[in-house]
Amino acid sequence: MAVDTSPRSTTWTYVEGEWLTGNPPLIGPTSHAMWLASTVFDGARWFDGIAPDLDRHCQRVNRSAINMGLKPVKTAEEIEALAWEGIKRFDGKTPVYIKPMYWGEHGSAGSVVTVDGESTRFALCLFEAPLGNNAPNSLTVSPYRRPSPETAMTDAKAGSLYPNSGRAIAEAKSRGFDNALMRDMNGNVAETASSNIFMVKDGIVSTPIANRTFLAGITRARVIGLLRKAGFEVREVTLSVEDFMNADEIFTTGNYSKVVGVNRLDGRDFQQGPVTRKALELYMDWAFGRSESDS
């Protein structure tokens, strides 16, 4: 039986000068991206008339492309303008995921493994995706680790990194948890399998220092800035699993659901505390322009 390749929600994709609906066939079996994974992407959100930090997401996808060996064919400003153009094709009610993408079509002369940057292609895919309800998640320490820059393309938001996250989530779910707490190759906490992570102890907020083993996210940076501006001490430091087990609160940040509390880490239960609630409040106030901008 043939697999149904239609998207699971309303979807529009801009490619080579036109907007196409559904799931257009863009990558063939000889495409470098298909068999050698030369793909990068980014993800922004539109909801309730706003698209927080859309400009930063558009800038980052171009940095990812360069780090992958691809050649950006759109400026960040062009991508942002296209995103707003695409948003108008939706009903204006349902939240939309905004996904700019680059991939390589051919390998380089003399080495098919190396992507030919001159063969870079671009697409901008937008699809309906409701926001999470900010319900707290449970975490378990994963047996899998985040790779180091010497072993994987960690300096790009590369599609090739995500199967490792996927297997970590699947393993965590098999043991009754929502997500996985992942460590780096040195055994220090990096992030969850799909978001950045924070802990609160005695009123001090801490988050793993960016060490190029995980994507130090745009929402992470925004929340750090907003919390500091609100008077919280926020530290970017090396953290162990034991540090998190002894925390007063744990929460995660990411583009998909913004700020989400953690209610369990392995055998330890947590309450969604005041700092977690404040972080979400500060973010939403900033996003809707209800507070002074923090750039």
Side-chain angles (χ1 to χ4, degrees), residues 7-12 21-22 89-91 96 126-129:
R8 295 180 177 179
S9 64
T10 302
T11 302
W12 285 92
T21 191
R89 295 177 175 269
F90 292 84
D91 64 14
V96 174
L126 287 76
F127 57 91
E128 291 183 346

Side-chain angles (χ1 to χ4, degrees), residues 16 35 74 89 143 148 205 219:
E16 295 173 352
W35 64 311
K74 297 285 185 185
R89 295 177 175 269
S148 67
V205 183
T219 305

Side-chain angles (χ1 to χ4, degrees), residues 192-205:
T192 79
S194 59
S195 54
N196 295 134
I197 192 160
F198 291 74
M199 56 164 278
V200 184
K201 182 69 174 178
D202 298 329
I204 297 172
V205 183

